[in-house]
Amino acid sequence: VCCFTDRKGKTPRRPGQRKQCNIEKDPVGVYCRIRPLGTEDEECCIEMISSSTIQLHAPDGLKANRNGEYKETQYSFKKVFGVNTTQIELFEDVGKLLIEDLIQCKNGLLFTYGVTGSGKTYTMTGSPGEGGLLPRSLDMLFNSIGPFQTKRFVFKPDDKNGMEIQSQVDALLERQKRDSQQSVSKIPSSRQKADPEIADMISSDDACKVENVDEDSCYSVFVSYIEIYNNYIYDLLEDAPFDPIRPKPPQSKILREDQNHNMYVAGCTEIEVKSTEEAFEVFWKGQKKRRIANTQLNRESSRSHSVFTLKLVQAPLDADGDHILQDKNQVNVSQLCLVDLAGSERTNRTRAEGSRLREAGNINQSLMTLRTCMEVLRENQMCGTNKMVPYRDSKVTHLFKNYFDGEGKVRMVVCVNPKADDYEETIQVMRFAEMTQEVEVPRPVDRPICGVAAGRRHRNQAFRDELSRQLEERGGPFNAGNAVRDPAQLNHLIESLPAIPPCELVDPADDQMLPRLIEVLQRRHHTRQMIIEEFNKTVNSMLQQFDSQLSSKGNFLHDQQSKLSEKDKVIVSQKTEIERLEKKSKTLEYKIDILQKTTDMYEQDKRTLQHELETRDHRLHRELSDRRRIEQHMQGMVTDTRLKWEKECERRVNAKQLEMQNKLWVKDEKLKQLKAIVTESSPAQRPERPTRERDGNIGNVFKTRGGGQAVQFTDIETLRQECPTAPSRKRRSGSAERPAQLEETENTVSY
């Protein structure tokens, strides 16, 4: 493992990109595609005005505005695709540029958006014979880089959103290990028979490719497929072992940030693919695990957001054009995310209940978060504000935040259904699309140019072709240093041979022509012998050289075998360690599962207690406010009661004083009369009591605390009445009867 740490490839993020000033920006490319009506008698509410504008008409029966008229609205896009648009025409305008950017080490994000049943999945995936954006993107990519792909396992994911470069020996061991496994592995093998569900997605006439591919680089493609369901991330390509006794639900994945601040799904399966068929087979394998359901609006409604990621790894060749350049700074990783968003829907139309209702709520919440992020981005760019974009409120926006921060181009295909029933939902989709077009994304930076001369692969291939041709012609190995075996030198030697003179032999006893011919043939024979001797010398030297090379190769092979045996021992020990770690990992996963369930229980209890605490706090606050109100009311009542009783006490005290004065006056009168009777003196004149006529004032007037006035009486009137039939009363002492005058005094009434 330690030999891989210094060969880690770069992630799509370029460090320091955000610190640049005056970065050029491009608006988000928004396209619109209109789905054909189901039947001809359905009412249509969308009209295509031009190649970039559509107009919406309010359907019959919809409430009119205040003036009693229906309002027609128009919306403009980068391009509008009508009902007769083919899949290849859509791909030419939307997906082709993204594949070209992918090969040029630039990222891309393409997602479909719209209400349920508007044709998003058909636009992204397509049908047999009418492949969508995803299969056509795969086909164009592999048509472009097919001859320049590396062998399997040369690049390997490091589980940290990066790539490791393996040596040729390690890659060969990985391939041999894969070939030795008879069971189905994570990497699918080539199909002998095409799956009828994915066969003939793209015809040969629609095939296209990128022309300006860098031939001096090696390429490798990795794919991953995830879904975001109820705001949880699940890996659709994960081969989890099925336990029939204790089946486990799929484990959700988490989002993490790598060293270059890029968001990625931790623990996501990345599969290396080498052809369009193999890649689409992987996609279809995950597509069968995706959650769909039957609703009132769509027979196969997507209940989750799916994200299919194409990751292209590029590394330049060395100066000889034979092997990959072992330089981590020259390895580039670019990716294209193809997102099929779930459709927004209204529960009163779908009549969703139970789990379907919860799914619809989570879908609408994530789409609302996406819309909120677009609104904040547009406000920050247009008004110069610096508001925080709520990417973390949803897994969809959190995963793709880097694209809106300048990590690649963003394209959106808005799918609409022109039927009248979807008019209100279509209005909301159009408003979101119109707002998204005003958001600008920083333009990605071009990759650095490799410092090695171009044309290395072509020169290396030409050298190999020439070498193989010469080996086939000469029937043996080729030595560039041997002058005899060089074609130019051979031609020169053949031309230096003495030419045979033209002659006609008429008589076999010709003594003139035959000696000349014999002399020429002898010279040619001598030259041929010299060439044969030189050739034998050269062959012997080459054989000796090959013997020495063979011995050195044997020694090298022996060393390599010893190293291989050592590596086998290391592999055995590592396998043992891996088995131990796998057991430990399973134990930890089981513990994590238990802890996760315990955490969920505690979280549920926490939410319940938090809700109960908030309810009690609200109730306590209400009781405190009621108590303060009652206290204020009671204080007012106490104050009023205190004033009332103070007035009553003062009135009673004054009345009591007046009563006591009257009693005192009566007693004085009685004492005077008793004194007169006892002394038997002449009756004295009773002092006349002042009357009202003489005094003119019978009491004193004073002010009360309440602001009024009260009268205190100071005069007493005495009334006398004789009752002849009334029996005489005895004295309390019981000694003697009172005199008649005293009885009359007692019958006096005072008031």
Side-chain angles (χ1 to χ4, degrees):
V1 178
C2 61
C3 63
F4 299 153
T5 55
D6 59 344
R7 300 178 181 177
K8 196 173 295 184
K10 294 191 297 182
T11 51
R13 172 62 180 256
R14 273 71 172 177
Q17 182 175 346
R18 294 184 181 177
K19 297 182 180 180
Q20 298 178 2
C21 300
N22 300 325
I23 299 178
E24 297 183 359
K25 295 183 178 181
D26 296 323
V28 176
V30 181
Y31 303 85
C32 179
R33 187 178 192 182
I34 304 175
R35 173 182 175 172
L37 289 172
T39 57
E40 295 181 357
D41 56 348
E42 281 187 336
E43 183 181 0
C44 181
C45 63
I46 296 178
E47 180 183 358
M48 184 175 174
I49 303 299
S50 64
S51 61
S52 61
T53 307
I54 63 173
Q55 181 171 330
L56 270 67
H57 307 277
D60 297 337
L62 190 69
K63 292 183 179 180
N65 55 15
R66 296 180 180 179
N67 298 329
E69 298 177 355
Y70 295 107
K71 184 178 180 181
E72 297 179 350
T73 55
Q74 293 184 359
Y75 298 94
S76 298
F77 299 90
K78 192 170 184 179
K79 190 170 184 179
V80 177
F81 302 98
V83 295
N84 298 323
T85 303
T86 61
Q87 297 281 53
I88 183 62
E89 293 175 354
L90 178 67
F91 177 75
E92 287 285 341
D93 291 327
V94 179
K96 190 173 182 180
L97 293 177
L98 293 177
I99 297 298
E100 293 178 356
D101 289 343
L102 181 67
I103 296 177
Q104 298 299 325
C105 296
K106 296 179 182 179
N107 300 332
L109 172 63
L110 173 61
F111 59 94
T112 56
Y113 181 84
V115 299
T116 298
S118 58
K120 300 183 299 300
T121 303
Y122 175 77
T123 300
M124 183 60 68
T125 306
S127 60
E130 291 291 336
L133 293 173
L134 191 146
R136 294 183 185 276
S137 299
L138 292 172
D139 186 66
M140 181 176 179
L141 177 61
F142 284 104
N143 289 340
S144 303
I145 66 170
F148 314 117
Q149 293 190 73
T150 62
K151 294 182 179 181
R152 292 188 188 273
F153 304 111
V154 174
F155 298 102
K156 186 177 180 181
D158 61 352
D159 297 332
K160 295 181 181 178
N161 203 28
M163 287 291 168
E164 297 175 348
I165 303 178
Q166 296 195 116
S167 62
Q168 296 293 332
V169 177
D170 294 330
L172 179 61
L173 291 175
E174 289 280 350
R175 288 193 294 271
Q176 292 177 352
K177 181 180 178 181
R178 170 186 173 271
D179 295 337
S180 64
Q181 293 177 352
Q182 298 298 329
S183 60
V184 179
S185 62
K186 291 185 178 181
I187 301 174
S189 59
S190 299
R191 290 182 285 108
Q192 299 296 330
K193 185 177 180 180
D195 192 335
E197 296 186 60
I198 60 177
D200 300 330
M201 293 294 290
I202 303 171
S203 62
S204 58
D205 297 335
D206 296 339
C208 55
K209 59 183 296 186
V210 179
E211 299 298 336
N212 54 347
V213 178
D214 186 6
E215 297 181 357
D216 295 326
S217 297
C218 290
Y219 301 87
S220 185
V221 180
F222 292 82
V223 297
S224 61
Y225 197 19
I226 64 171
E227 71 170 352
I228 302 175
Y229 176 72
N230 287 338
N231 210 26
Y232 289 97
I233 300 176
Y234 298 98
D235 186 4
L236 296 177
L237 302 180
E238 185 176 14
D239 286 335
F242 178 72
D243 189 358
I245 300 176
R246 189 181 177 185
K248 292 183 179 180
Q251 296 292 326
S252 62
K253 305 297 181 180
I254 61 175
L255 289 177
R256 287 184 179 175
E257 192 175 40
D258 62 8
Q259 59 182 356
N260 293 323
H261 307 289
N262 286 309
M263 302 307 302
Y264 70 98
V265 180
C268 179
T269 304
E270 293 182 349
I271 298 179
E272 186 177 8
V273 291
K274 294 299 180 182
S275 65
T276 305
E277 294 78 13
E278 186 179 348
F280 199 74
E281 184 180 359
V282 172
F283 165 76
W284 203 252
K285 174 185 174 183
Q287 185 72 6
K288 292 179 180 179
K289 295 183 180 179
R290 189 181 176 189
R291 291 173 172 86
I292 60 175
N294 184 11
T295 63
Q296 293 291 331
L297 299 182
N298 194 353
R299 185 172 60 87
E300 294 183 356
S301 176
S302 301
R303 314 308 297 169
S304 63
H305 310 295
S306 66
V307 181
F308 188 80
T309 303
L310 286 171
K311 186 174 288 187
L312 181 63
V313 185
Q314 308 181 35
L317 296 174
D318 55 10
D320 296 332
D322 194 12
H323 301 289
I324 296 177
L325 185 65
Q326 300 293 325
D327 185 3
K328 64 180 181 179
N329 294 323
Q330 296 296 335
V331 179
N332 291 277
V333 181
S334 55
Q335 63 183 17
L336 172 63
C337 292
L338 303 173
V339 186
D340 182 13
L341 295 176
S344 60
E345 58 187 28
R346 293 188 178 182
T347 56
N348 58 352
R349 295 186 59 200
T350 58
R351 299 177 184 176
E353 296 178 356
S355 60
R356 299 285 88 79
L357 181 62
R358 185 162 65 95
E359 292 168 358
N362 288 313
I363 291 171
N364 294 335
Q365 181 63 33
S366 60
L367 295 178
M368 184 61 67
T369 304
L370 177 62
R371 182 168 185 168
T372 303
C373 293
M374 295 296 102
E375 290 177 352
V376 176
L377 281 172
R378 189 186 70 162
E379 183 179 354
N380 289 341
Q381 294 173 3
M382 298 182 66
C383 303
T385 58
N386 193 19
K387 292 184 178 180
M388 185 182 67
V389 184
Y391 290 120
R392 294 178 178 268
D393 292 351
S394 174
K395 291 292 191 303
V396 176
T397 54
H398 195 193
L399 179 61
F400 300 125
K401 65 180 293 291
N402 302 108
Y403 290 93
F404 296 102
D405 290 339
E407 289 302 324
K409 291 183 179 179
V410 181
R411 296 290 182 266
M412 180 175 70
V413 179
V414 178
C415 300
V416 294
N417 195 336
K419 66 179 182 179
D421 295 338
D422 292 346
Y423 174 75
E424 295 182 356
E425 289 89 345
T426 304
I427 286 289
Q428 300 299 326
V429 171
M430 292 296 105
R431 291 174 181 173
F432 171 71
E434 187 178 33
M435 175 194 61
T436 305
Q437 290 184 108
E438 299 178 0
V439 177
E440 294 182 345
V441 177
R443 185 175 299 173
V445 181
D446 295 334
R447 64 169 180 170
I449 300 175
C450 180
V452 187
R456 304 182 300 279
R457 183 190 294 270
H458 181 71
R459 290 197 301 270
N460 183 42
Q461 187 64 33
F463 172 75
R464 289 184 177 183
D465 294 341
E466 181 65 21
L467 179 61
S468 61
R469 186 184 64 81
Q470 291 183 3
L471 287 174
E472 290 177 0
E473 290 180 356
R474 300 320 188 263
F478 170 74
N479 188 359
N482 188 2
V484 178
R485 298 294 291 172
D486 187 62
Q489 295 293 332
L490 287 174
N491 294 330
H492 178 69
L493 288 174
I494 293 172
E495 291 175 358
S496 64
L497 292 174
I500 298 176
C503 61
E504 281 187 24
L505 290 176
V506 179
D507 186 5
D510 189 355
D511 56 352
Q512 294 182 358
M513 188 62 64
L514 285 177
R516 292 175 55 189
L517 185 60
I518 291 171
E519 183 182 1
V520 171
L521 291 176
Q522 287 178 351
R523 289 174 57 189
R524 292 177 66 89
H525 178 70
H526 180 69
T527 305
R528 180 175 179 275
Q529 289 297 121
M530 289 178 59
I531 294 174
I532 291 173
E533 291 177 0
E534 186 68 24
F535 178 76
N536 290 331
K537 291 180 182 179
T538 305
V539 168
N540 291 331
S541 63
M542 290 177 63
L543 288 176
Q544 292 177 0
Q545 183 180 359
F546 286 154
D547 289 337
S548 62
Q549 289 180 358
L550 184 61
S551 61
S552 62
K553 290 287 184 181
N555 296 330
F556 177 75
L557 183 61
H558 180 70
D559 295 338
Q560 292 296 324
Q561 287 179 351
S562 61
K563 291 181 180 179
L564 185 60
S565 61
E566 293 178 357
K567 287 204 170 187
D568 289 337
K569 294 179 182 179
V570 174
I571 289 172
V572 172
S573 62
Q574 287 183 353
K575 284 183 178 179
T576 307
E577 182 69 16
I578 287 172
E579 291 177 357
R580 186 185 66 81
L581 292 176
E582 285 179 352
K583 293 180 181 179
K584 185 177 179 181
S585 176
K586 290 181 180 179
T587 305
L588 293 176
E589 286 179 357
Y590 180 71
K591 291 182 179 180
I592 289 172
D593 190 13
I594 295 176
L595 291 175
Q596 185 66 33
K597 293 180 180 179
T598 307
T599 304
D600 294 339
M601 293 173 59
Y602 285 155
E603 288 292 335
Q604 184 67 25
D605 294 340
K606 179 182 176 182
R607 288 192 292 269
T608 304
L609 293 175
Q610 187 71 23
H611 180 69
E612 185 178 354
L613 181 61
E614 292 177 356
T615 305
R616 290 188 177 182
D617 289 341
H618 182 68
R619 188 189 308 165
L620 181 61
H621 181 71
R622 185 176 59 197
E623 289 178 355
L624 288 175
S625 61
D626 294 342
R627 181 178 177 182
R628 287 194 294 268
R629 182 173 54 80
I630 292 172
E631 286 180 354
Q632 294 176 358
H633 180 67
M634 293 302 296
Q635 288 179 358
M637 291 181 63
V638 167
T639 303
D640 295 341
T641 306
R642 184 186 294 111
L643 293 176
K644 178 180 178 182
W645 281 107
E646 286 180 355
K647 294 178 183 178
E648 183 66 20
C649 291
E650 186 176 359
R651 185 185 64 77
R652 290 184 180 183
V653 167
N654 293 334
K656 199 67 176 178
Q657 288 179 355
L658 183 60
E659 182 182 357
M660 295 300 293
Q661 289 179 0
N662 291 335
K663 288 182 178 180
L664 185 60
W665 185 81
V666 170
K667 287 183 179 181
D668 290 341
E669 288 296 326
K670 288 181 180 181
L671 289 174
K672 288 181 181 180
Q673 292 178 4
L674 184 59
K675 185 178 180 181
I677 294 172
V678 171
T679 55
E680 295 180 356
S681 58
S682 60
Q685 296 292 330
R686 179 178 296 178
E688 295 183 358
R689 187 177 179 179
T691 61
R692 296 179 181 178
E693 290 81 5
R694 288 177 296 186
D695 293 340
N697 187 7
I698 62 175
N700 297 327
V701 180
F702 61 92
K703 294 183 178 180
T704 62
R705 292 185 179 181
Q709 294 181 351
V711 179
Q712 182 179 0
F713 294 95
T714 58
D715 195 5
I716 300 175
E717 292 185 2
T718 305
L719 299 179
R720 297 178 181 178
Q721 183 178 3
E722 295 181 358
C723 185
T725 59
S728 60
R729 297 181 180 178
K730 296 182 179 181
R731 304 173 65 94
R732 290 184 179 180
S733 59
S735 58
E737 295 182 358
R738 293 184 179 180
Q741 187 177 3
L742 185 56
E743 291 179 359
E744 293 178 359
T745 306
E746 289 180 355
N747 292 331
T748 304
V749 179
S750 61
Y751 56 92

